[in-house]
Structures are given as C-alpha cells and as structure tokens.
Amino acid sequence: EVVIEIDIESQHDTTMQLFYIGREEMGFTEGNSLRAKIAVGRNKLYFKIPGYLLQKGLRYDPSAAIGDYKLMKFRIYMFPEM
C-alpha cells in the first residue's frame, strides 16, 4: 500500500482532487478520484491507496477555485506488502 502526503497552502476554502487510473481504465475519471476539503491557510492531507494504482500515474488538481496555491510537499510513501 501507499500513503500520499500533501502539504498545501491555500487562499481559498475549496476542494482538492487526486485522480488515479484503475486496472481496467485508460484515463483519469471522476469515479477514480479522491477529494478532500482544504481551508484557507496551510493544510496537511494524507491518503492511503493500494500500490497498484500508481502503475498508470496520478493526477493532482490542487483546487476547484482559481487562485494561488503553494505546494509545500507532495510525498509518496511505499510500504511492502505483508
């Protein structure tokens, strides 16, 4: 499994979205995504997903609102299967 850590500074209360491609899909879809609300200021987010979802890539949309955002950290931690 994989843990994704996102540390972002926002000027807006909004929603960020992390897309992945499933085993049978060819591209990114709304159905294959995770969302999280972010608030004005600094936000630290953690997502846990199966490691195979990294095989076809990730897409990170920092916000649903136009504005300036400062991505402080985007880190992927991979853990061996037990």
Side-chain angles (χ1 to χ4, degrees):
E1 72 185 354
V2 172
V3 173
I4 299 168
E5 176 186 13
I6 299 172
D7 185 354
I8 187 169
E9 195 172 291
S10 176
Q11 296 178 341
H12 307 280
D13 292 332
T14 186
T15 302
M16 58 83 30
Q17 198 164 2
L18 184 66
F19 293 86
Y20 55 88
I21 300 173
R23 287 188 172 138
E24 304 299 320
E25 286 81 19
M26 298 302 295
F28 298 111
T29 65
E30 290 288 323
N32 287 339
S33 69
L34 304 168
R35 295 177 189 211
K37 295 204 179 283
I38 57 175
V40 171
R42 196 149 177 193
N43 298 264
K44 291 188 180 185
L45 307 163
Y46 297 89
F47 299 93
K48 188 159 89 171
I49 63 171
Y52 74 87
L53 292 177
L54 294 179
Q55 291 176 354
K56 294 184 180 180
L58 294 174
R59 184 180 108 195
Y60 171 60
D61 291 358
S63 172
I66 296 172
D68 293 325
Y69 300 89
K70 187 173 184 180
L71 184 60
M72 311 297 279
K73 186 186 296 184
F74 187 100
R75 187 170 285 169
I76 298 172
Y77 301 93
M78 299 183 81
F79 298 97
E81 304 229 1
M82 301 249 170

